[in-house]
Amino acid sequence: AEAAPKGRLSAPVRMQFCCRCIASIDDADDACVSTTTRILECSQEPALPMKRISVPTDRPPAALQPQRRRFTAVIERAHESEPLGMRTEAFQTSKIFIASFSDGEGPVARFNLAASPQRRIVPGDYIVAVDGQTDLLEMKQLMLVSDACELTLQRAEETCLVVEKVGGSLGVTVKYDAHGTSLTISEVQPGGSMLAACASVRDGDRIVSVNGLRGCATELLEELSSSERPELVISRCA
């Protein structure tokens, strides 16, 4: 088979799955790319614990429910080499998705201690600008080197839906980060199962829960590929 170009890898697993392993903002220099013909394992860190939640399936999935909550947060490092204290994903998207928090204290943890509950940063939020810059590379660079930076954050919109696979296919191509907690939809196939379940799903949306499970992206992929009628929670930055 013809080798895929570096950085654009694909692997069919009942559906078409592509994987690019990218470290978090705090570990951006350690980025790597890998491929396989079966489901990948998280090899660089232990898998994040999977949590089962109650997924309501009676909500009409025709459109993602709007929240439109945007706020700013000034994040200050105690010293220039201090990690921000969060793992992020920004694969094939112009927004930075906050996947999880690192253990211990850090700039984000300190900000949350002082902030009101309505203004605390939580996993699942999107960073849409850093110091007013919206270019993805500039945002990443500012977060890496700035002693203090102002983050503009957007709460996620989420929708719940049940997808009936046709011929074992979900009708989408997904990509994900090795340390991530979501599957990014990079292509929605016309006439596929996903569009039949929710006509508003589009490229860049993220699958953050499968059958009530949240956690390591590779485990979400396993659950997704083994279920013929998966219950999904899809996140979007409006």
PDB file of all heavy atoms in Angstrom, residues 77-95:
ATOM      1  N   ARG A  77       2.468  32.812  35.341  1.00  0.00           N
ATOM      2  CA  ARG A  77       3.443  31.824  35.793  1.00  0.00           C
ATOM      3  C   ARG A  77       4.225  32.368  36.989  1.00  0.00           C
ATOM      4  O   ARG A  77       4.538  33.554  37.047  1.00  0.00           O
ATOM      5  CB  ARG A  77       4.407  31.473  34.669  1.00  0.00           C
ATOM      6  CG  ARG A  77       3.832  30.592  33.571  1.00  0.00           C
ATOM      7  CD  ARG A  77       4.923  30.238  32.560  1.00  0.00           C
ATOM      8  NE  ARG A  77       4.513  29.116  31.721  1.00  0.00           N
ATOM      9  CZ  ARG A  77       3.940  29.258  30.534  1.00  0.00           C
ATOM     10  NH1 ARG A  77       3.702  30.474  30.054  1.00  0.00           N
ATOM     11  NH2 ARG A  77       3.594  28.191  29.827  1.00  0.00           N
ATOM     12  N   ALA A  78       4.589  31.481  37.902  1.00  0.00           N
ATOM     13  CA  ALA A  78       5.448  31.869  39.018  1.00  0.00           C
ATOM     14  C   ALA A  78       6.895  32.011  38.554  1.00  0.00           C
ATOM     15  O   ALA A  78       7.668  32.783  39.120  1.00  0.00           O
ATOM     16  CB  ALA A  78       5.346  30.840  40.140  1.00  0.00           C
ATOM     17  N   HIS A  79       7.282  31.261  37.532  1.00  0.00           N
ATOM     18  CA  HIS A  79       8.614  31.371  36.918  1.00  0.00           C
ATOM     19  C   HIS A  79       8.460  30.941  35.469  1.00  0.00           C
ATOM     20  O   HIS A  79       7.487  30.306  35.074  1.00  0.00           O
ATOM     21  CB  HIS A  79       9.648  30.518  37.650  1.00  0.00           C
ATOM     22  CG  HIS A  79       9.224  29.094  37.843  1.00  0.00           C
ATOM     23  ND1 HIS A  79       9.401  28.120  36.875  1.00  0.00           N
ATOM     24  CD2 HIS A  79       8.610  28.486  38.896  1.00  0.00           C
ATOM     25  CE1 HIS A  79       8.917  26.969  37.327  1.00  0.00           C
ATOM     26  NE2 HIS A  79       8.440  27.158  38.555  1.00  0.00           N
ATOM     27  N   GLU A  80       9.425  31.301  34.636  1.00  0.00           N
ATOM     28  CA  GLU A  80       9.251  31.168  33.194  1.00  0.00           C
ATOM     29  C   GLU A  80       9.118  29.734  32.720  1.00  0.00           C
ATOM     30  O   GLU A  80       8.543  29.470  31.665  1.00  0.00           O
ATOM     31  CB  GLU A  80      10.420  31.832  32.464  1.00  0.00           C
ATOM     32  CG  GLU A  80      11.775  31.215  32.733  1.00  0.00           C
ATOM     33  CD  GLU A  80      12.890  31.901  31.978  1.00  0.00           C
ATOM     34  OE1 GLU A  80      12.647  33.008  31.459  1.00  0.00           O
ATOM     35  OE2 GLU A  80      14.005  31.347  31.903  1.00  0.00           O
ATOM     36  N   SER A  81       9.631  28.766  33.480  1.00  0.00           N
ATOM     37  CA  SER A  81       9.560  27.375  33.050  1.00  0.00           C
ATOM     38  C   SER A  81       8.366  26.624  33.641  1.00  0.00           C
ATOM     39  O   SER A  81       8.227  25.417  33.414  1.00  0.00           O
ATOM     40  CB  SER A  81      10.860  26.655  33.432  1.00  0.00           C
ATOM     41  OG  SER A  81      11.042  26.650  34.843  1.00  0.00           O
ATOM     42  N   GLU A  82       7.518  27.309  34.406  1.00  0.00           N
ATOM     43  CA  GLU A  82       6.387  26.633  35.035  1.00  0.00           C
ATOM     44  C   GLU A  82       5.357  26.221  33.986  1.00  0.00           C
ATOM     45  O   GLU A  82       4.885  27.049  33.206  1.00  0.00           O
ATOM     46  CB  GLU A  82       5.721  27.537  36.070  1.00  0.00           C
ATOM     47  CG  GLU A  82       4.568  26.852  36.807  1.00  0.00           C
ATOM     48  CD  GLU A  82       3.887  27.767  37.801  1.00  0.00           C
ATOM     49  OE1 GLU A  82       3.886  29.000  37.577  1.00  0.00           O
ATOM     50  OE2 GLU A  82       3.346  27.258  38.804  1.00  0.00           O
ATOM     51  N   PRO A  83       4.954  24.940  33.931  1.00  0.00           N
ATOM     52  CA  PRO A  83       3.900  24.517  33.011  1.00  0.00           C
ATOM     53  C   PRO A  83       2.575  25.170  33.385  1.00  0.00           C
ATOM     54  O   PRO A  83       2.327  25.486  34.547  1.00  0.00           O
ATOM     55  CB  PRO A  83       3.847  23.001  33.206  1.00  0.00           C
ATOM     56  CG  PRO A  83       5.129  22.639  33.872  1.00  0.00           C
ATOM     57  CD  PRO A  83       5.508  23.810  34.702  1.00  0.00           C
ATOM     58  N   LEU A  84       1.717  25.349  32.404  1.00  0.00           N
ATOM     59  CA  LEU A  84       0.418  25.960  32.678  1.00  0.00           C
ATOM     60  C   LEU A  84      -0.465  25.069  33.540  1.00  0.00           C
ATOM     61  O   LEU A  84      -1.333  25.552  34.253  1.00  0.00           O
ATOM     62  CB  LEU A  84      -0.302  26.289  31.372  1.00  0.00           C
ATOM     63  CG  LEU A  84       0.297  27.413  30.535  1.00  0.00           C
ATOM     64  CD1 LEU A  84      -0.543  27.643  29.289  1.00  0.00           C
ATOM     65  CD2 LEU A  84       0.407  28.696  31.348  1.00  0.00           C
ATOM     66  N   GLY A  85      -0.249  23.757  33.455  1.00  0.00           N
ATOM     67  CA  GLY A  85      -1.033  22.853  34.293  1.00  0.00           C
ATOM     68  C   GLY A  85      -2.275  22.315  33.630  1.00  0.00           C
ATOM     69  O   GLY A  85      -3.231  21.935  34.305  1.00  0.00           O
ATOM     70  N   MET A  86      -2.276  22.264  32.289  1.00  0.00           N
ATOM     71  CA  MET A  86      -3.422  21.680  31.586  1.00  0.00           C
ATOM     72  C   MET A  86      -2.946  21.012  30.306  1.00  0.00           C
ATOM     73  O   MET A  86      -1.950  21.410  29.707  1.00  0.00           O
ATOM     74  CB  MET A  86      -4.478  22.735  31.269  1.00  0.00           C
ATOM     75  CG  MET A  86      -4.021  23.870  30.388  1.00  0.00           C
ATOM     76  SD  MET A  86      -5.321  25.114  30.170  1.00  0.00           S
ATOM     77  CE  MET A  86      -4.430  26.330  29.181  1.00  0.00           C
ATOM     78  N   ARG A  87      -3.647  19.950  29.931  1.00  0.00           N
ATOM     79  CA  ARG A  87      -3.388  19.275  28.671  1.00  0.00           C
ATOM     80  C   ARG A  87      -4.391  19.787  27.640  1.00  0.00           C
ATOM     81  O   ARG A  87      -5.576  19.930  27.934  1.00  0.00           O
ATOM     82  CB  ARG A  87      -3.519  17.753  28.819  1.00  0.00           C
ATOM     83  CG  ARG A  87      -2.490  17.130  29.761  1.00  0.00           C
ATOM     84  CD  ARG A  87      -2.589  15.610  29.734  1.00  0.00           C
ATOM     85  NE  ARG A  87      -1.577  14.992  30.593  1.00  0.00           N
ATOM     86  CZ  ARG A  87      -1.809  14.623  31.839  1.00  0.00           C
ATOM     87  NH1 ARG A  87      -3.007  14.804  32.370  1.00  0.00           N
ATOM     88  NH2 ARG A  87      -0.862  14.074  32.559  1.00  0.00           N
ATOM     89  N   THR A  88      -3.900  20.057  26.445  1.00  0.00           N
ATOM     90  CA  THR A  88      -4.744  20.661  25.426  1.00  0.00           C
ATOM     91  C   THR A  88      -4.656  19.890  24.124  1.00  0.00           C
ATOM     92  O   THR A  88      -3.711  19.131  23.886  1.00  0.00           O
ATOM     93  CB  THR A  88      -4.341  22.128  25.169  1.00  0.00           C
ATOM     94  OG1 THR A  88      -2.983  22.166  24.715  1.00  0.00           O
ATOM     95  CG2 THR A  88      -4.486  22.962  26.433  1.00  0.00           C
ATOM     96  N   GLU A  89      -5.657  20.089  23.274  1.00  0.00           N
ATOM     97  CA  GLU A  89      -5.691  19.491  21.941  1.00  0.00           C
ATOM     98  C   GLU A  89      -6.024  20.596  20.946  1.00  0.00           C
ATOM     99  O   GLU A  89      -6.904  21.407  21.201  1.00  0.00           O
ATOM    100  CB  GLU A  89      -6.756  18.392  21.858  1.00  0.00           C
ATOM    101  CG  GLU A  89      -6.622  17.298  22.905  1.00  0.00           C
ATOM    102  CD  GLU A  89      -7.826  16.373  22.916  1.00  0.00           C
ATOM    103  OE1 GLU A  89      -8.452  16.175  21.843  1.00  0.00           O
ATOM    104  OE2 GLU A  89      -8.170  15.870  23.992  1.00  0.00           O
ATOM    105  N   ALA A  90      -5.320  20.590  19.831  1.00  0.00           N
ATOM    106  CA  ALA A  90      -5.590  21.599  18.804  1.00  0.00           C
ATOM    107  C   ALA A  90      -5.313  21.014  17.433  1.00  0.00           C
ATOM    108  O   ALA A  90      -4.687  21.623  16.581  1.00  0.00           O
ATOM    109  CB  ALA A  90      -4.744  22.840  19.033  1.00  0.00           C
ATOM    110  N   PHE A  91      -5.787  19.791  17.223  1.00  0.00           N
ATOM    111  CA  PHE A  91      -5.500  19.099  15.976  1.00  0.00           C
ATOM    112  C   PHE A  91      -6.555  19.429  14.938  1.00  0.00           C
ATOM    113  O   PHE A  91      -7.737  19.198  15.140  1.00  0.00           O
ATOM    114  CB  PHE A  91      -5.435  17.589  16.222  1.00  0.00           C
ATOM    115  CG  PHE A  91      -5.026  16.800  15.011  1.00  0.00           C
ATOM    116  CD1 PHE A  91      -3.877  17.130  14.318  1.00  0.00           C
ATOM    117  CD2 PHE A  91      -5.779  15.735  14.587  1.00  0.00           C
ATOM    118  CE1 PHE A  91      -3.498  16.402  13.207  1.00  0.00           C
ATOM    119  CE2 PHE A  91      -5.399  15.003  13.486  1.00  0.00           C
ATOM    120  CZ  PHE A  91      -4.259  15.334  12.790  1.00  0.00           C
ATOM    121  N   GLN A  92      -6.128  19.965  13.807  1.00  0.00           N
ATOM    122  CA  GLN A  92      -6.987  20.278  12.657  1.00  0.00           C
ATOM    123  C   GLN A  92      -8.164  21.165  13.071  1.00  0.00           C
ATOM    124  O   GLN A  92      -9.320  20.929  12.729  1.00  0.00           O
ATOM    125  CB  GLN A  92      -7.498  18.987  12.002  1.00  0.00           C
ATOM    126  CG  GLN A  92      -7.660  19.121  10.510  1.00  0.00           C
ATOM    127  CD  GLN A  92      -7.995  17.823   9.832  1.00  0.00           C
ATOM    128  OE1 GLN A  92      -8.695  16.966  10.361  1.00  0.00           O
ATOM    129  NE2 GLN A  92      -7.519  17.679   8.619  1.00  0.00           N
ATOM    130  N   THR A  93      -7.874  22.194  13.840  1.00  0.00           N
ATOM    131  CA  THR A  93      -8.899  23.124  14.272  1.00  0.00           C
ATOM    132  C   THR A  93      -8.234  24.451  14.591  1.00  0.00           C
ATOM    133  O   THR A  93      -7.026  24.503  14.844  1.00  0.00           O
ATOM    134  CB  THR A  93      -9.647  22.599  15.504  1.00  0.00           C
ATOM    135  OG1 THR A  93     -10.609  23.560  15.928  1.00  0.00           O
ATOM    136  CG2 THR A  93      -8.702  22.312  16.649  1.00  0.00           C
ATOM    137  N   SER A  94      -8.993  25.514  14.581  1.00  0.00           N
ATOM    138  CA  SER A  94      -8.441  26.837  14.882  1.00  0.00           C
ATOM    139  C   SER A  94      -8.603  27.202  16.348  1.00  0.00           C
ATOM    140  O   SER A  94      -8.171  28.274  16.784  1.00  0.00           O
ATOM    141  CB  SER A  94      -9.128  27.895  14.015  1.00  0.00           C
ATOM    142  OG  SER A  94     -10.527  27.925  14.284  1.00  0.00           O
ATOM    143  N   LYS A  95      -9.218  26.327  17.142  1.00  0.00           N
ATOM    144  CA  LYS A  95      -9.420  26.561  18.571  1.00  0.00           C
ATOM    145  C   LYS A  95      -8.629  25.524  19.367  1.00  0.00           C
ATOM    146  O   LYS A  95      -8.357  24.423  18.899  1.00  0.00           O
ATOM    147  CB  LYS A  95     -10.907  26.471  18.934  1.00  0.00           C
ATOM    148  CG  LYS A  95     -11.846  27.304  18.051  1.00  0.00           C
ATOM    149  CD  LYS A  95     -11.592  28.777  18.182  1.00  0.00           C
ATOM    150  CE  LYS A  95     -12.674  29.605  17.485  1.00  0.00           C
ATOM    151  NZ  LYS A  95     -12.700  29.402  16.017  1.00  0.00           N
TER     152      LYS A  95
END
